[in-house]
Amino acid sequence: MLTVYSDLHRLQHGQSELMAGTLKPCLETPSRADMVLDAVRRRELGDIVHPRRHGVEPILRVHDAGYVDFLQTAWPRWLALGHDCDALPKMWQIRRMREAVPEHVEGQLCYYSMDCGTPITAGTWQAAEAAADTALTGADRLIGGERAVFALCRPPGHHAARDYCGGYCFLNNAAIAAQALRDHGMRKVAVLDVDYHHGNGTQDIFYRRGDVLFLSIHGDPRTEYPFFLGHADEKGEGEGEGLGCNFNFPLPAGSCVSTWFVALDCALLQIARFGAEALVVSLGVDTYLGDPIARFRLDSPDFVTLGARLAGLRLLTLFCLEGGYAVEPLGTNVVNVLAGFEARL
């Protein structure tokens, strides 16, 4: 399987995030991509290529122009205020507050963020754009005849909505790639999110659409981040609801492999019913039993099974890396999915 990778991911290296009321070192670090790339090479998964530049136009197909401009300009504007630290918001626009975009960069940082765990740094835009290019190059290769591609995206993307960042995510790589596949003539595309945390950003982008099916298997938002999206009764709006294009499978903390794979089988049935021509997988492996910020019970061999089940759909498939914060086994778990997929073809 071809892997697309950019070393520009290193430019996103936040120093701290607010966790349990304390500023702590960021869990989402460059070492995550290093571990995955090492595993890809060690297992001889296939060729590794650099992404090509696509410019901002494919990004603007799914993201708000004002939000993209904010990401491009936030850091120099932050520095101009005399700050010498990462940029984090200090409040949020919330119930009964006026919904208007502030002019000041500190206000925009609050408006365009959903949490205080996603620091903007000197290299955030360059790294996020490179991650989007990584996913877009994977989509290009599918269109060009590849059966499956792994986009080793960092920073991840599935929490980034049309006009806000969060959950370590700035640009929604999977959604950008899915839209590119549609723009290149694929009539229907499915996005399956297997990360422990709900893909709220991807749902937000496609919620009213009938041409992109979104499905997510994740921790129950009543107790798990991102809390405010991911419930089973969220079925889409407009065309999205009418054509049945949004499915959430929230599972309780502690769910084991048997429970998780029942949900996967339900999701695969919906993908087959939808008639997708291509599948984009938001590949988070924080469902692993040793992950520090998740509470499912999948073990490393279970990721081989996941890959094999996905291959059973017989669809053109793009894998986009999302979460997974047990860093030592991260590469093994990711490559197990890809190897399981390849073995089933």
Side-chain angles (χ1 to χ4, degrees), residues 136-309:
L136 285 164
T137 300
D140 292 342
R141 291 302 188 104
L142 289 189
I143 294 162
E146 295 281 350
R147 171 70 179 79
V149 180
F150 172 43
L152 206 173
C153 299
R154 184 187 169 270
H158 71 145
H159 292 306
R162 185 182 65 86
D163 58 357
Y164 62 79
C165 60
Y168 314 133
C169 305
F170 301 95
L171 297 175
N172 195 311
N173 308 309
I176 292 166
Q179 182 62 51
L181 292 171
R182 283 285 295 113
D183 289 342
H184 282 83
M186 294 193 180
R187 193 170 54 89
K188 291 183 177 182
V189 177
V191 181
L192 173 63
D193 193 318
V194 296
D195 191 281
Y196 180 78
H197 304 95
H198 177 249
N200 61 284
T202 316
Q203 175 171 304
D204 174 76
I205 288 167
F206 294 121
Y207 202 57
R208 297 162 186 81
R209 299 267 296 267
D211 57 337
V212 178
L213 173 68
F214 174 67
L215 314 98
S216 180
I217 307 167
H218 52 270
D220 192 325
R222 293 178 298 178
T223 61
E224 308 300 317
Y225 181 94
F227 301 112
F228 300 106
L229 280 180
H231 297 272
D233 63 355
E234 295 160 13
K235 298 292 188 181
E237 292 179 358
E239 244 186 38
E241 181 179 21
L243 296 174
C245 291
N246 198 91
F247 290 89
N248 288 319
F249 301 92
L251 302 176
S255 290
C256 62
V257 62
S258 58
T259 302
W260 195 90
F261 276 98
V262 168
L264 177 66
D265 287 343
C266 292
L268 298 182
L269 284 173
Q270 292 298 336
I271 294 170
R273 174 200 62 81
F274 181 66
E277 297 173 45
L279 172 67
V280 178
V281 180
S282 275
L283 182 57
V285 294
D286 44 3
T287 50
Y288 176 66
L289 55 85
D291 197 275
I293 58 171
R295 298 192 287 171
F296 284 169
R297 306 289 300 169
L298 274 64
D299 206 347
S300 292
D302 300 322
F303 293 105
V304 179
T305 305
L306 167 58
R309 296 276 184 92

